[in-house]
Amino acid sequence: MGPVRDQGDDETLLTRIARSDLEAFRAVYDRYSGQVYSLAWSMLRDASVAQEITQDVFLAIWRGAGAFDLGRGTARSWILSLAHHKSVEEAMRKVDSAGVQDALRALSGDQREAIVLAYYGGYTQREIADRLRTPLGTVKTRIRDGLLRLREMLGRGVREETVR
């Protein structure tokens, strides 16, 4: 089959996909498969895993297009956030689980809670802020600072950091 011609704007295409429109799905795939793959590859540096994530993202789009909410962002941001989330999940699987658990315990309670909600719970920063009744800027800072501390601890070994 040849290339799919322009089928409309992304948001309309997702609405059509929610109604099982295969042509709309093909159009979204043609538009975004390269970007999804590139994002996954840049995070994981593994072509076969990036291909699997791309497949998972488009399966999630096919099954969950009805969950897209234009009030929360564009179709593009939704699609790429799916790719990011799945890539992060995969990266976390590759990291030594015990080491990550030790490193998480070494964070402040506020940092740990925000990171766990974001990376294990799949919540957006805005959803975390609403859930914790905390300003969005504070949540962003907790996640950023916590991730920097995790990177530092996991890079040099965690044992010394867990005794605070």
Side-chain angles (χ1 to χ4, degrees):
M1 174 187 277
V4 177
R5 62 182 193 273
D6 189 352
Q7 297 278 331
D9 68 68
D10 295 339
E11 290 74 20
T12 300
L13 290 172
L14 287 177
T15 300
R16 290 173 51 198
I17 292 169
R19 294 188 306 247
S20 301
D21 184 326
L22 191 54
E23 288 300 313
F25 179 77
R26 285 185 182 127
V28 168
Y29 184 87
D30 286 347
R31 287 180 191 178
Y32 289 104
S33 61
Q35 292 176 54
V36 168
Y37 175 87
S38 293
L39 176 64
W41 187 87
S42 71
M43 291 180 73
L44 301 164
R45 301 288 189 218
D46 184 322
S48 64
V49 175
Q51 289 171 348
E52 289 175 25
I53 287 175
T54 301
Q55 182 179 3
D56 289 348
V57 166
F58 283 94
L59 180 59
I61 291 168
W62 179 253
R63 290 180 176 165
F68 169 71
D69 178 2
L70 183 58
R72 295 183 56 195
T74 65
R76 179 180 186 278
S77 65
W78 182 71
I79 291 166
L80 295 179
S81 71
L82 288 172
H84 180 264
H85 179 74
K86 290 186 181 294
S87 296
V88 166
E89 284 180 345
E90 184 59 33
M92 294 301 286
R93 269 190 223 117
K94 289 184 172 188
V95 175
D96 173 32
S97 179
V100 170
Q101 294 303 316
D102 286 346
L104 282 170
R105 280 192 290 276
L107 297 177
S108 74
D110 291 337
Q111 289 173 338
R112 181 176 46 255
E113 183 176 35
I115 288 172
V116 166
L117 287 170
Y119 290 96
Y120 293 105
Y123 293 96
T124 66
Q125 291 176 338
R126 178 161 306 286
E127 290 169 334
I128 294 167
D130 292 344
R131 186 179 178 100
L132 300 178
R133 294 187 178 99
T134 303
L136 179 59
T138 301
V139 168
K140 288 180 178 184
T141 300
R142 287 175 183 170
I143 291 173
R144 184 198 68 227
D145 292 351
L147 289 175
L148 289 172
R149 186 128 189 267
L150 284 174
R151 179 184 303 160
E152 177 185 317
M153 287 186 289
L154 292 171
R156 69 170 189 238
V158 178
R159 299 292 176 217
E160 71 212 58
E161 296 291 331
T162 57
V163 188
R164 287 180 28 152

